[in-house]
Amino acid sequence: MDKESFYVEAIRERYPMLHLETAERLGSGQNNDIWLINSEWIFRFPKYEAGVRELEREAGILNGIADRVPLPVPRPLYSSFGDPRGGRSFLGYKKIQGNR
């Protein structure tokens, strides 16, 4: 199974009602693979168990500051942190417009 299919399937398993039309790989860093879904959602998939814990912590921080700062902040709407294996956990939020 290629990476795109692997990640799309992880999203479908957790959110079967989310209609997935397109998946574009945006990049891969040291800790996460990043995908643009349906041209409007950013999904980050940690590669390692420690990355899952860090992304879960980050989701809490983002939700905590979203209404307290004047800048656009990614607001996590899709998440799955129950599986520590690389690529099975993720965080998804609406893309903030700007330069890549």
Side-chain angles (χ1 to χ4, degrees), residues 4-6 8 10 14-17 21 26-27 37 47-48 52-53 55 58 61 63 71-73 75 78 91 98 100:
E4 178 181 341
S5 299
F6 182 77
V8 166
R14 180 75 165 96
Y15 294 98
M17 299 304 288
E21 294 178 15
L26 292 182
I37 304 296
K47 295 178 181 180
Y48 313 104
V52 174
R53 291 189 304 270
L55 198 60
E58 182 179 324
I61 292 169
N63 281 322
L71 301 171
V73 173
R75 189 179 288 268
Y78 299 103
L91 181 65
R100 293 204 296 180

Side-chain angles (χ1 to χ4, degrees), residues 1-2 4-23 37-38 43 45 78 80 87-88 90:
M1 176 182 300
D2 64 9
E4 178 181 341
S5 299
F6 182 77
Y7 291 136
V8 166
E9 185 59 30
I11 297 168
R12 279 194 178 121
E13 284 177 12
R14 180 75 165 96
Y15 294 98
M17 299 304 288
L18 178 61
H19 184 64
L20 302 174
E21 294 178 15
T22 62
I37 304 296
N38 296 345
F43 275 78
F45 294 85
Y78 299 103
S80 179
R88 300 310 291 179
F90 59 82

Side-chain angles (χ1 to χ4, degrees), residues 20-51:
L20 302 174
E21 294 178 15
T22 62
E24 175 188 350
R25 184 177 176 270
L26 292 182
S28 182
Q30 181 176 355
N31 298 313
N32 297 282
D33 286 327
I34 304 161
W35 289 78
L36 178 62
I37 304 296
N38 296 345
S39 300
E40 66 177 319
W41 297 97
I42 302 293
F43 275 78
R44 293 174 46 204
F45 294 85
K47 295 178 181 180
Y48 313 104
E49 186 174 343

